[in-house]
Amino acid sequence: MRIIRVRNPHVEVLVWRMVLLAGLALPALLYLRLAPEFRDLVRTAHDRGSGRRRLGHIRCRRIAVPGCRWRAIAIYLGVALLLFGRLMAGLVAMWRVSRAARSMTTPDDVRISARVRSPATFGTVILLPVDAHEWSADRLDAVLAHERAHVSSRDGLWSWLAQFHAAVFWFNPFAWWLQRRLEALAETTSDDAVVAARHDPVAYAALLLDFARHPNSGALPCLSQNQMSPSASNVFSPALRPPLR
């Protein structure tokens, strides 16, 4: 994408979602022998390079240290289960928050919760802080446009998949980068939806900064995935800059 200079966040998020699905499917493909293993590639490369041995006669050496092998498996499973448990605890906590929240009189599922300080989404539920009743109509419309974009794009589901992917491949730095990148792109595409709805970009940037001063509690980790927490790319992206005069 860098080579062909892809700058559209909607295209980029589609590409990285496909990469995420491929990464999640890879263990099953390897188990079903539908994807080549690394040692098979090594054998093929060795056979092509030397030309002196056939593929069936090449043997891969294995380290005969069963203690180290089981120790490595135990470490991997321990870290993976810890990360998966954190993900499940966050989902349960968010489910309890959304269940205890009060519904608003809106066509979609918008609820008021005292547990959130900034707008957030959980699945198809939009959570607003208790002072949302005091917001102006323009402020509320901009917030709902942002959160509805998260809901329509299924950003919550993709965030959970990315967290699960990072728990399975926790030893791979790319898995953690992919999770952060998908979350940043989700915020960028939702910001684009607000600007496309003809909201004032300058006022919306100020709104994002205001929410950044009141982040949600770290006790609810899933809130940080889809909340309205701006990054520099969100606030100062070309879509949010005022037109030159």
Side-chain angles (χ1 to χ4, degrees):
M1 286 190 295
R2 288 181 179 269
I3 293 175
I4 62 178
R5 298 181 180 181
V6 174
R7 301 186 182 276
N8 190 328
H10 299 274
V11 175
E12 188 177 353
V13 74
L14 178 61
V15 172
W16 289 126
R17 284 177 177 181
M18 295 302 102
V19 172
L20 174 62
L21 292 179
L24 291 172
L26 185 58
L29 295 177
L30 290 173
Y31 179 79
L32 298 175
R33 299 185 181 276
L34 298 177
E37 297 183 3
F38 177 75
R39 58 183 178 184
D40 293 334
L41 298 177
V42 172
R43 291 175 182 177
T44 304
H46 187 279
D47 184 59
R48 290 177 179 177
S50 64
R52 290 175 295 181
R53 294 185 180 182
R54 297 185 59 82
L55 185 62
H57 296 288
I58 299 176
R59 301 291 181 182
C60 292
R61 295 183 179 180
R62 295 183 179 180
I63 301 176
V65 187
C68 293
R69 183 180 180 182
W70 287 111
R71 219 174 290 130
I73 294 176
I75 293 174
Y76 167 77
L77 291 178
V79 177
L81 290 176
L82 179 64
L83 294 173
F84 183 73
R86 186 181 68 172
L87 171 60
M88 294 305 299
L91 292 177
V92 171
M94 280 300 305
W95 176 78
R96 290 178 176 175
V97 169
S98 61
R99 185 180 180 183
R102 304 190 312 271
S103 298
M104 292 183 64
T105 56
T106 55
D108 43 6
D109 196 354
V110 181
R111 305 180 188 182
I112 300 293
S113 175
R115 296 288 304 276
V116 300
R117 302 177 62 186
S118 295
T121 58
F122 178 68
T124 59
V125 178
I126 298 175
L127 297 172
L128 300 179
V130 291
D131 61 344
H133 293 292
E134 304 174 359
W135 293 352
S136 63
D138 291 339
R139 182 186 180 97
L140 182 60
D141 289 343
V143 169
L144 291 181
H146 180 101
E147 300 302 331
R148 284 166 179 163
H150 280 310
V151 173
S152 62
S153 299
R154 302 290 190 272
D155 290 333
L157 174 60
W158 288 104
S159 177
W160 303 338
L161 288 176
Q163 292 179 69
F164 178 75
H165 177 261
V168 174
F169 297 99
W170 57 265
F171 51 86
N172 186 358
F174 176 74
W176 297 99
W177 179 89
L178 181 61
Q179 175 188 342
R180 293 192 300 270
R181 187 58 184 164
L182 284 173
E183 292 168 1
L185 288 171
E187 296 299 328
T188 301
T189 53
S190 296
D191 291 339
D192 289 346
V194 177
V195 177
R198 299 185 181 278
H199 288 278
D200 182 14
V202 178
Y204 179 64
L207 176 62
L208 291 178
L209 291 174
D210 182 51
F211 283 125
R213 299 187 188 98
H214 305 88
N216 286 310
S217 172
L220 300 174
C222 288
L223 284 176
S224 62
Q225 309 305 323
N226 291 320
Q227 70 177 6
M228 215 181 225
S229 57
S231 61
S233 61
N234 297 141
V235 178
F236 301 107
S237 63
L240 295 179
R241 293 174 184 164
L244 298 177
R245 297 180 181 177

